[in-house]
Amino acid sequence: MAKNITTDPDLEQKIENLIAQMTLEEKIGQMSQVRHFDDISPEEIKTKFIGSVIHTQGPLPGNNAAEWQSKFSELQKQALSTRLGIPLIFGVDAVHGQNTYEGATIFPHNIGLGAAANPELVEKAAAITAIESKATGFNWVFSPCVAIPMNEKWGRVYEAFSENTELTAELTKASVIGHQGKFGNSGVLATAKHFIGDGATDFGVEGGSTTLSREEVLERLLPPYQAAIESGIASIMASFNTLDGIPMHAHKALISDLLKGELKFDGIVVSDWKAYSRFGQNDIINAGIDMVMAVDGDLDLFQEGVRNGVLDGSIPENRINDAVRRILRQKFRFGLFDHPFPDKTLIGKIGIPEHRAVARQAVRESLVLLKNENHILPLKRTSRIVVVGPMADNSGLQSGGWTVNWQGTTENYKDATTILEGIKKFTLHEVRYDREGTAEVENVDVAVIVVGENPYAEFFGDIGGEMNLFQLTLPEEQQKFITAYAKRGIKTVVILISGRPLVMTQQIEQSDAFVAAWLPGSEGDGIAEVLFGQFDFKGKLPHSWPKSVEDYKGKYGPNFWDNSIEPLYPFGFGLNYHNKL
Ligand code: BGC
């Protein structure tokens, strides 16, 4: 199967020498990942021999990038002051840019990059994410998500590139290389996640059960991981779902035998959130998990549990050595022993125009034109335009989950541009803005109506799941915007902001032009550049587009094994100005 990545005998020797000096406590410490607040005090980094620190939701490490860096440097000093001085690695959920830092460049979520289907662009976006992550003190990102979503009800569809395995594998490669800089000291460790079956659970339930056959898993879900391993991925995160009725974290056959054995993955298998107490404690270590997110009260349970397991023989010591070897290997490969502290000169690169230009290109290329009757698009500079809906002038709403906060934000955020601001740059007339969709505007040629889903992340976004906050159709109050303008005979261009294809058959029918814009991120003005014809549409559907809610009666969405369901638009569909379809 996948070829082994380069092994360096000198490096391997260095690692073995270090392991030979380590006590059991030091080894277990290396396997521990904690948050920078709550889970530990700075001194405990030293006394508990912590291997990694994570920042995600919760108190910020500081008020600006310099403060973030110095907070992490302070923790790093603790680690370096231990007997063996092994540096920490700092991980972050930078899944579309360094999205935990307000003011960073925010790219379209992966579903948009799947629509753009441009590996070179994905590589550039990942390289910029690496720079801005390093500038805020990190050297490890929990990205890319390489799931193959098989049901649009899943709340994480947008974190993945596409329902198509080949496209996902191709973009995964580009993403890994972009993030990691080919093992260079310039890159950050990337993480392919969530291994395996996260997007293929029955009915799209986050962390649910995946009931595919082994052949289907190997054929449809595994190739992106093979691509990631061939590109030298540093880590792979285990998934919350079960497979074969076994929690993936405890699935020894897939983690140890397949991933590490057959596929020769030599990096870190990292657990997901609080996995130790959730998925069978030492079972996950014996299955092959190397580093554990020992957060939210799990740290002592984990450290003591593993220690007792080794002492009573239920965890073989060579399993612990394998885990530590993998962690140290990446710390050496990424130059952490030589350069443990963040580079202050990178701070000036956060959100710079060059980075935003790439994000804007990504926005432009991600837009999929589904309908353009009577060539209503491109818009003319002389058109009298009304822009409709709260999503049109809100950078938080246009960016989705994992933006500033875990669940995203419903507010404008620093240095981002909204869709309305972009449109204003192009028009010669004053643009009217009907935020509530109820104004009786007159003398307009065209209404640009922006509708879609409010931000969500993880299980919050599941449809019909635990939270049940979302639906497969457009919320009714937004459907009314389209109906109201169409009724008045005003031409309508509908822009859909969403993390997945929604059932919009009737709204597409009602509108004159329809654009799937996914979750574009901070550069909302990329949309106007295409609407006004400065650039052509390039995006192609990364998912087949459903026709009706009925299509979801089975386990999966349209086009998955059930050939009797015909999507409204197939995978790969997308119009442009040039071909004037
Ligand atoms: C998510 C991961 C994420 C981790 C750390 C989990 O809840 O499933 O994708 O990387 O949290 O924040």
Side-chain angles (χ1 to χ4, degrees):
M1 280 195 165
K3 66 175 189 297
N4 196 356
I5 59 169
T6 37
T7 44
D8 169 350
D10 292 345
L11 172 62
E12 295 301 314
Q13 194 52 53
K14 250 199 248 177
I15 297 167
E16 295 312 318
N17 292 348
L18 198 46
I19 292 177
Q21 298 174 57
M22 292 172 80
T23 63
L24 180 58
E25 288 70 21
E26 286 168 332
K27 291 177 186 175
I28 296 170
Q30 274 307 301
M31 296 168 69
S32 312
Q33 181 176 65
V34 297
R35 288 174 304 190
H36 57 92
F37 61 95
D38 264 14
D39 297 329
I40 39 121
S41 64
E43 297 68 44
E44 282 171 308
I45 292 279
K46 189 172 164 181
T47 56
K48 297 189 173 172
F49 308 108
I50 301 299
S52 175
V53 169
I54 176 176
H55 170 66
T56 171
Q57 183 68 355
L60 299 178
N63 294 317
N64 53 47
E67 286 185 21
W68 286 42
Q69 284 201 3
S70 64
K71 166 84 187 186
F72 296 143
S73 293
E74 186 198 325
L75 300 181
Q76 188 67 295
K77 281 181 197 151
Q78 294 287 336
L80 297 178
S81 71
T82 54
R83 187 175 70 95
L84 297 170
I86 301 171
L88 289 164
I89 32 177
F90 295 89
V92 65
D93 284 302
V95 301
H96 62 145
Q98 205 312 43
N99 45 253
T100 69
Y101 185 79
E102 192 169 348
T105 309
I106 305 298
F107 290 89
H109 268 294
N110 281 348
I111 194 168
L113 298 180
N118 177 348
E120 209 181 301
L121 178 63
V122 169
E123 188 177 327
K124 271 193 210 158
I128 291 169
T129 303
I131 293 170
E132 298 199 8
S133 297
K134 289 181 79 161
T136 45
F138 299 97
N139 34 43
W140 186 4
V141 298
F142 302 126
S143 176
C145 174
V146 303
I148 305 295
M150 292 167 79
N151 192 319
E152 314 300 351
K153 289 182 180 171
W154 188 39
R156 312 189 75 163
V157 166
Y158 66 84
E159 292 186 53
F161 294 113
S162 169
E163 71 182 17
N164 180 281
T165 302
E166 289 71 37
L167 177 60
T168 302
E170 195 189 356
L171 299 183
T172 296
K173 252 185 213 168
S175 174
V176 174
I177 292 168
H179 279 110
Q180 297 197 162
K182 296 184 181 140
F183 297 152
N185 189 20
S186 59
V188 294
L189 286 76
T191 309
K193 69 188 190 184
H194 309 80
F195 187 77
I196 193 170
D198 50 354
T201 58
D202 301 350
F203 309 103
V205 176
E206 165 65 359
S209 49
T210 298
T211 56
L212 302 180
S213 71
R214 185 57 53 89
E215 290 68 36
E216 288 160 345
V217 170
L218 299 184
E219 210 179 290
R220 297 197 85 134
L221 310 183
L222 192 65
Y225 288 97
Q226 290 172 290
I229 293 168
E230 282 168 13
S231 313
I233 188 100
S235 71
I236 292 179
M237 189 184 291
S239 187
F240 286 143
N241 59 282
T242 60
L243 194 88
D244 310 321
I246 305 168
M248 262 316 301
H249 279 79
H251 207 308
K252 190 164 187 244
L254 291 180
I255 296 176
S256 288
D257 303 343
L258 178 67
L259 204 56
K260 295 182 175 181
E262 219 176 310
L263 298 185
K264 299 189 165 54
F265 170 59
D266 72 356
I268 304 165
V269 179
V270 62
S271 90
D272 204 341
W273 199 254
K274 214 172 167 12
Y276 188 75
S277 58
R278 292 170 73 182
F279 299 116
Q281 304 199 0
N282 288 349
D283 288 353
I284 75 170
I285 308 303
N286 279 327
I289 300 287
D290 303 314
M291 183 176 273
V292 171
M293 278 186 205
V295 290
D296 245 351
D298 260 15
L299 181 61
D300 291 343
L301 181 77
F302 163 67
Q303 293 204 332
E304 279 160 33
V306 174
R307 187 168 179 275
N308 292 337
V310 176
L311 295 179
D312 71 18
S314 58
I315 301 178
E317 178 121 24
N318 65 13
R319 175 67 271 279
I320 301 296
N321 289 340
D322 171 58
V324 175
R325 189 176 292 122
R326 290 163 176 275
I327 294 162
L328 295 178
R329 187 181 284 133
Q330 298 305 330
K331 290 185 176 181
F332 277 116
R333 276 193 182 150
F334 283 82
L336 269 297
F337 284 87
D338 297 330
H339 303 282
F341 295 107
D343 177 352
K344 291 200 176 72
T345 65
L346 291 177
I347 293 176
K349 299 214 164 182
I350 300 172
I352 53 175
E354 292 89 321
H355 291 181
R356 292 186 185 278
V358 175
R360 210 164 52 244
Q361 178 193 349
V363 173
R364 291 193 303 260
E365 294 193 17
S366 70
L367 304 176
V368 183
L369 180 63
L370 294 179
K371 180 180 183 183
N372 189 17
E373 218 151 73
N374 303 321
H375 309 307
I376 181 166
L377 291 175
L379 298 172
K380 293 176 201 61
R381 279 172 180 269
T382 49
S383 298
R384 290 162 306 167
I385 296 171
V386 55
V387 174
V388 185
M391 296 225 157
D393 195 26
N394 187 315
S395 55
L397 293 180
Q398 83 200 16
S399 298
W402 301 105
T403 310
V404 184
N405 299 303
W406 175 43
Q407 292 298 322
T409 170
T410 53
E411 310 284 328
N412 280 315
Y413 60 92
K414 192 166 173 275
D415 298 337
T417 317
T418 69
I419 299 166
L420 176 63
E421 284 167 345
I423 290 174
K424 282 182 176 168
K425 289 182 192 167
F426 278 87
T427 48
L428 298 175
H429 296 290
E430 198 194 330
V431 179
R432 249 85 54 91
Y433 182 38
D434 177 13
R435 185 186 295 271
E436 310 308 326
T438 49
E440 292 286 330
V441 283
E442 294 195 338
N443 294 326
V444 291
D445 303 314
V446 57
V448 177
I449 305 174
V450 187
V451 293
E453 294 183 303
N454 276 347
Y456 53 79
E458 301 192 42
F459 61 94
F460 278 81
D462 283 359
I463 290 170
E466 203 178 314
M467 311 296 286
N468 211 11
L469 300 170
F470 293 89
Q471 53 198 53
L472 278 166
T473 49
L474 190 68
E476 248 171 65
E477 66 274 14
Q478 300 193 50
Q479 293 189 19
K480 285 187 194 148
F481 302 163
I482 306 172
T483 317
Y485 276 90
K487 257 197 197 147
R488 278 147 61 189
I490 297 170
K491 298 281 177 216
T492 54
V493 174
V494 175
I495 314 281
L496 178 66
I497 300 293
S498 68
R500 50 191 153 203
L502 296 179
V503 175
M504 298 278 293
T505 310
Q506 203 193 327
Q507 290 74 39
I508 294 173
E509 185 81 32
Q510 279 178 319
S511 54
D512 295 285
F514 194 97
V515 178
W518 317 110
L519 300 168
S522 57
E523 308 314 300
D525 45 353
I527 294 182
E529 292 173 356
V530 181
L531 292 185
F532 284 89
Q534 190 180 4
F535 293 87
D536 201 352
F537 281 93
K538 278 181 103 170
K540 304 283 176 213
L541 285 181
H543 284 248
S544 41
W545 196 282
K547 197 165 31 191
S548 85
V549 172
E550 286 289 288
D551 294 349
Y552 290 87
K553 275 197 298 213
K555 279 201 306 195
Y556 304 115
N559 219 19
F560 271 103
W561 290 306
D562 182 356
N563 293 334
S564 68
I565 302 174
E566 210 190 305
L568 186 64
Y569 301 104
F571 166 83
F573 182 85
L575 307 174
N576 58 33
Y577 297 139
H578 188 67
N579 290 326
K580 299 222 189 283
L581 286 172

